[in-house]
Amino acid sequence: MCGKSEDEVDRGSDGVDYEYNKYGSKLKFDPEFTGPQKSRSCTDILCFAIFVVFLVAWAGVAIFAYKHGSPERLVFPTDSLGQRCGIDESVKNKPHLLFFDLSKCAKPAVIVTGCPTPQICVEKCPTQDFFSGLYLENLGSFNPVEVQSQLVCWYGFKKESIRTVDQLKTAIEQQRCSPWYLKSESIAGRCLPYYLTAIEDQGQSKLKYEMKGISGTLNVTVEELHNATRFLAALSSAQEFGEMMLQDLTKVWPYVLVGLAVAMIVCLVFILLMRWLAGVMVWLSIVGVLGLLSFVIYLCYSQYAKLAAMKNPSEPTPKDLSISGKELLQLNLNEIFKVNFKSYLTKKETWMVFLIIAASILAIIVLILIFLRNRIRIAIELIREASKAVGSVTSTLFFPIVPWLIQLLALAWGLSVALYLASSGTAEYRVTGVNKDCRCDHEYKPGDVCILEEFNEHCTNLKTSDVSCGCQFFAHRTDNYVSWLQAFNLFGTLWLLFFISALGEMVLAGVFGAWYWTWNKAKGLPFFALTESIWRAFRYHVGTLAFGSLLIAICRFIRIMLEYIHHKLKKRDNKFVQCLLCCLRCCFWCLEKFLRFLNRNAYVMCAVHGTNFCRSAKDAFNLLMRNIVRVVVIDKVTDFLLFLGKILIVAGMGVLSYYVFGHQSQELDNHLPELNYFFLPIIIIAAGTYFIATVFFGVYAMAVDTLFLCFLEDGERNDGSSEKPYFMSKNLMKILGKKNQFREADTK
């Protein structure tokens, strides 16, 4: 070895020299090590304590949210006082919600946070247009009786008090009356414009009005009003879409269940065959994916050639500036799908993009297979070993369903707390004015925040027609600290989700680690091997799981914050900031991927040796770095092959579902119910198949990672002699050019 000692260099069967000094010393033989440690102590107790304290604090946030929040305000038409229009007693006869300034709703967040403008319940939506600017800008057109009949004002406000232009201006500035509204119709209980007319003004489409022979423009762009109505109408469209999907599900659910059952059977058969025909199934996955991509390329090219041969392909025409509010608001998701998606499919450029993407993926896969063709043989053997490990404890195949269901509960918990926090807050009142006709025994200034009951106690309005004395509603306010509670809740949701995922990984690692270090694998593991692994994880290593999941949660939280900042600043034309954010997002994405890889292997070391997180991560990292080439060419190739198998099953079930529900067979159509959305069962079956395949293949991936780490440790601790025999199987030793030097190895 050119003068190098055995501790410095080890030449594997693949002709690669593995150095040991840089990343720690080679593991030494330990005659007492026979698998997962039986006697172990609790690890990372401090992290466990922090995790418990955090959960208690999170529970406090949830109690606050449930006490002060009301998600019904986000779903039902609810005025600024929290009264549900047409439901609560005080507004029983007012089922519609009217917005004082609809342009304030031109943000997607209004679906969750509400629209930041006064909102009141009304008996019916406006049947005509009203613009206060007409009277404020044209003093000669002011008619008190006419204005009073058209005004929409806050509860209890006496419109008869508006006798002059100044009083009208004051009432609008104090948000006691709506400055403008349009002829509207009720959409999901909300008054939204029926028809909009736009004109071009300095490059923007401004809202045009015409009343009493006088025309003008409102300081609201059509885009703003378009967005406002679209975001609010999303509630109606979503409701309609949900009802139609529910109708389809009631008709088609037996067929969906059959499809999911077929998917589960296919996955089980695929996995069972992998135990005895691992090589055949792996190559079948490879050939199947290559064939599928080739077919996609052929299909894309055919469509491209067909559209390219057309002389006048249909092109979408730009919309006129006159916008039909009714058509816009009643546009449901099915029509959006048809208009947008199908319009793209009529363009040859779309199919060219699909063709390039499919061809690129095919080329990448082919190149990977060519360069790693010799490593696939070792990867197949590792998959065969994983099949044996999974087969020895069949319950591991279904165990991931449990943490997945717990994750769903955790996610539902986090979302519910977020909704209640978003709907928390109180109505804010402010002093509208104090003059000689407003007698108060307490000093108030116009604009001060006031409490209605206290104001009425301290002040008396001597002139009831005066609009400048009173404590009137200003806006529905959410306390500033609620945003911090939302961030706390988001972080808690992330931490809990990653903790549950880590728990599942450590439990499986404990089972497969025990299988690898069992000498006589023919006898298998004890019946309660999975239960024992669960007990060890909960009894000793909750702190370690909390530590590892905390690192991932912090990294993901930072990524979310960066995405939020990017969303806020993307309209700013600052190339330096955009470049900086792009680099940060990329760096933290890579960091999260590295941490997830490191954590996964740290959990394996912890499950086997019972060490804390830092020690486990260090040992796993050093072991992997001492065998970095094997990690790349064996472990990652194995993951890639399992991924191809999963994609093949999902794609196969998707194609089969499309053939059944996509009106491809007249005979099948005669036996199937008519659906509003034919793609609904296809999506459900494809998504369900992906979940089922992810559960089964996820167990295999964890088995492969665990066995691979144990295999590397086995290769360092032992040398195949009678004193230090290998624990790996005969086939794996044969491929790697290793062997045990006594016959007992043949019993494995």
Side-chain angles (χ1 to χ4, degrees):
M1 292 285 183
C2 301
K4 294 184 178 181
S5 64
E6 181 180 356
D7 288 341
E8 293 175 328
V9 177
D10 173 41
R11 180 174 292 274
S13 63
D14 46 10
V16 179
D17 292 338
Y18 299 96
E19 298 182 4
Y20 294 94
N21 289 339
K22 185 176 180 180
Y23 295 101
S25 302
K26 182 179 179 180
L27 295 175
K28 303 299 181 183
F29 173 71
D30 183 3
E32 297 181 358
F33 178 73
T34 57
Q37 295 289 343
K38 300 297 182 182
S39 59
R40 56 179 72 196
S41 59
C42 296
T43 56
D44 299 298
I45 299 177
L46 179 60
C47 289
F48 170 73
I50 294 174
F51 186 59
V52 172
V53 171
F54 182 88
L55 291 180
V56 172
W58 194 16
V61 172
I63 293 173
F64 169 84
Y66 292 139
K67 183 178 180 180
H68 295 89
S70 178
E72 293 180 348
R73 188 171 64 85
L74 306 178
V75 179
F76 297 102
T78 307
D79 67 10
S80 298
L81 298 178
Q83 302 175 120
R84 295 170 296 175
C85 301
I87 299 178
D88 292 341
E89 190 63 31
S90 58
V91 288
K92 191 79 172 179
N93 61 336
K94 300 178 179 180
H96 310 291
L97 185 68
L98 179 69
F99 300 87
F100 272 26
D101 188 353
L102 191 60
S103 64
K104 301 294 185 182
C105 307
K107 295 180 180 179
V110 302
I111 298 177
V112 176
T113 61
C115 188
T117 186
Q119 305 158 41
I120 62 171
C121 299
V122 295
E123 294 182 4
K124 62 179 182 178
C125 292
T127 57
Q128 60 182 2
D129 299 338
F130 171 76
F131 303 96
S132 61
L134 173 68
Y135 303 102
L136 297 178
E137 298 172 3
N138 301 276
L139 302 181
S141 63
F142 184 82
N143 184 329
V145 177
E146 182 181 6
V147 171
Q148 293 168 8
S149 64
Q150 296 181 11
L151 274 177
V152 175
C153 299
W154 190 252
Y155 303 122
F157 180 79
K158 296 183 178 181
K159 295 186 289 185
E160 295 78 8
S161 63
I162 305 295
R163 299 178 182 275
T164 65
V165 173
D166 291 337
Q167 289 177 328
L168 174 62
K169 183 178 180 181
T170 300
I172 292 175
E173 288 177 349
Q174 295 174 354
Q175 295 189 338
R176 302 175 72 177
C177 295
S178 175
W180 63 275
Y181 56 77
L182 300 174
K183 181 180 179 181
S184 306
E185 61 180 338
S186 181
I187 303 295
R190 295 159 175 84
C191 295
L192 301 179
Y194 184 84
Y195 195 91
L196 312 179
T197 303
I199 64 171
E200 285 293 325
D201 182 22
Q202 296 180 354
Q204 288 186 318
S205 298
K206 292 292 187 67
L207 193 65
K208 174 185 177 181
Y209 68 84
E210 183 172 352
M211 293 176 58
K212 300 172 60 177
I214 302 175
S215 61
T217 60
L218 194 64
N219 192 26
V220 177
T221 66
V222 170
E223 182 181 2
E224 289 176 339
L225 203 57
H226 182 167
N227 290 336
T229 54
R230 179 163 55 91
F231 296 138
L232 292 171
L235 295 171
S236 176
S237 295
Q239 181 180 5
E240 180 184 356
F241 184 65
E243 291 175 354
M244 297 181 72
M245 283 200 304
L246 187 60
Q247 293 176 4
D248 288 348
L249 285 176
T250 57
K251 298 177 183 178
V252 83
W253 68 266
Y255 303 94
V256 172
L257 290 181
V258 171
L260 295 178
V262 172
M264 180 173 290
I265 294 174
V266 170
C267 288
L268 285 173
V269 171
F270 194 94
I271 285 176
L272 289 175
L273 291 176
M274 284 180 67
R275 183 170 184 178
W276 294 283
L277 303 171
V280 174
M281 300 308 295
V282 167
W283 284 110
L284 177 63
S285 301
I286 294 173
V287 174
V289 171
L290 294 179
L292 180 64
L293 286 173
S294 300
F295 175 75
V296 170
I297 291 174
Y298 167 76
L299 179 64
C300 293
Y301 178 77
S302 299
Q303 289 295 116
Y304 173 80
K306 178 180 177 182
L307 293 174
M310 296 175 61
K311 294 183 179 180
N312 296 313
S314 59
E315 295 289 344
T317 58
K319 291 186 177 180
D320 189 85
L321 285 173
S322 295
I323 303 171
S324 172
K326 187 172 184 178
E327 293 179 358
L328 170 67
L329 298 178
Q330 292 183 343
L331 188 65
N332 58 35
L333 295 182
N334 185 34
E335 292 168 336
I336 292 174
F337 174 83
K338 290 179 180 179
V339 172
N340 293 341
F341 186 71
K342 289 190 176 181
S343 64
Y344 283 115
L345 295 182
T346 58
K347 299 180 179 180
K348 63 179 181 179
E349 291 81 3
T350 301
W351 292 101
M352 176 56 69
V353 171
F354 290 159
L355 175 62
I356 294 174
I357 293 174
S360 300
I361 295 175
L362 178 61
I364 292 173
I365 293 177
V366 170
L367 290 176
I368 291 175
L369 294 175
I370 291 175
F371 284 106
L372 300 178
R373 60 188 183 279
N374 293 329
R375 312 298 176 188
I376 292 178
R377 192 163 57 101
I378 303 177
I380 290 174
E381 188 57 37
L382 198 55
I383 292 176
R384 183 178 287 112
E385 289 298 295
S387 300
K388 295 177 181 178
V390 173
S392 65
V393 186
T394 311
S395 56
T396 56
L397 276 175
F398 304 96
F399 168 74
I401 297 177
V402 177
W404 184 79
L405 293 176
I406 299 176
Q407 282 184 314
L408 282 183
L409 293 177
L411 183 61
W413 164 270
L415 290 176
S416 65
V417 173
L419 284 175
Y420 273 89
L421 284 175
S423 60
S424 65
T426 56
E428 180 180 302
Y429 291 79
R430 293 193 180 184
V431 177
T432 57
V434 179
N435 61 10
K436 62 181 181 179
D437 295 319
C438 189
R439 180 183 301 170
C440 298
D441 56 11
H442 183 80
E443 184 177 355
Y444 285 105
K445 295 181 180 179
D448 288 349
V449 176
C450 57
I451 300 176
L452 183 61
E453 292 78 8
E454 294 182 359
F455 185 88
N456 292 334
E457 284 183 16
H458 296 290
C459 296
T460 303
N461 190 357
L462 301 179
K463 191 176 181 181
T464 56
S465 62
D466 191 2
V467 301
S468 62
C469 178
C471 178
Q472 297 294 334
F473 172 82
F474 181 75
H476 192 89
R477 296 296 186 190
T478 301
D479 296 323
N480 294 331
Y481 59 81
V482 170
S483 59
W484 293 100
L485 296 181
Q486 287 282 25
F488 187 87
N489 176 65
L490 173 61
F491 183 79
T493 304
L494 294 174
W495 193 359
L496 186 57
L497 289 175
F498 291 131
F499 175 85
I500 297 169
S501 177
L503 175 64
E505 291 178 353
M506 181 174 285
V507 169
L508 292 176
V511 175
F512 299 133
W515 181 85
Y516 185 92
W517 295 110
T518 298
W519 179 251
N520 191 351
K521 294 180 175 58
K523 293 182 179 180
L525 292 175
F527 181 77
F528 294 103
L530 181 62
T531 307
E532 290 178 0
S533 183
I534 296 174
W535 164 252
R536 286 196 301 268
F538 274 109
R539 172 64 178 83
Y540 300 106
H541 305 305
V542 173
T544 299
L545 297 172
F547 194 174
S549 56
L550 174 62
L551 297 178
I552 304 295
I554 292 174
C555 189
R556 178 63 65 85
F557 185 79
I558 294 175
R559 288 184 59 199
I560 293 175
M561 292 298 101
L562 289 174
E563 291 294 336
Y564 175 77
I565 296 173
H566 173 72
H567 175 73
K568 287 292 184 181
L569 299 179
K570 65 181 181 180
K571 294 183 179 180
R572 306 278 182 90
D573 190 18
N574 191 322
K575 301 299 182 182
F576 175 76
V577 174
Q578 292 179 2
C579 180
L580 180 61
L581 284 175
C582 183
C583 293
L584 288 174
R585 291 160 61 201
C586 179
C587 289
F588 276 97
W589 179 84
C590 295
L591 177 60
E592 182 179 332
K593 291 296 182 182
F594 171 75
L595 287 176
R596 292 177 74 92
F597 172 76
L598 184 63
N599 282 12
R600 190 178 180 91
N601 289 282
Y603 297 146
V604 174
M605 299 299 285
C606 179
V608 174
H609 298 285
T611 52
N612 60 36
F613 179 81
C614 292
R615 175 66 183 276
S616 300
K618 176 184 176 182
D619 292 344
F621 180 76
N622 288 337
L623 181 60
L624 292 171
M625 291 305 296
R626 291 196 297 267
N627 300 269
I628 186 62
V629 178
R630 283 177 176 167
V631 172
V632 174
V633 302
I634 298 178
D635 186 46
K636 294 307 158 188
V637 171
T638 305
D639 292 341
F640 177 69
L641 295 179
L642 290 176
F643 174 75
L644 292 182
K646 180 168 65 175
I647 292 300
L648 178 64
I649 294 175
V650 174
M653 289 301 302
V655 172
L656 180 61
S657 301
Y658 178 77
Y659 180 79
V660 174
F661 298 101
H663 308 294
Q664 302 299 311
S665 172
Q666 185 64 37
E667 185 175 348
L668 288 175
D669 289 345
N670 296 332
H671 296 83
L672 293 174
E674 186 174 349
L675 304 176
N676 297 305
Y677 307 104
F678 77 90
F679 55 84
L680 179 64
I682 300 175
I683 293 176
I684 294 177
I685 292 176
T689 303
Y690 181 81
F691 165 71
I692 294 171
T694 299
V695 169
F696 288 124
F697 283 85
V699 175
Y700 263 76
M702 193 66 213
V704 167
D705 291 342
T706 303
L707 297 181
F708 181 72
L709 207 62
C710 293
F711 152 71
L712 295 179
E713 186 172 346
D714 189 15
E716 290 193 2
R717 287 185 180 276
N718 307 307
D719 57 8
S721 64
S722 57
E723 294 81 11
K724 298 186 288 185
Y726 292 119
F727 280 76
M728 65 186 76
S729 66
K730 292 184 298 181
N731 292 334
L732 197 55
M733 283 190 289
K734 182 178 179 181
I735 292 176
L736 297 174
K738 299 178 181 292
K739 63 179 180 178
N740 281 331
Q741 299 176 4
F742 63 107
R743 293 183 178 179
E744 283 82 354
D746 295 337
T747 62
K748 292 189 292 181

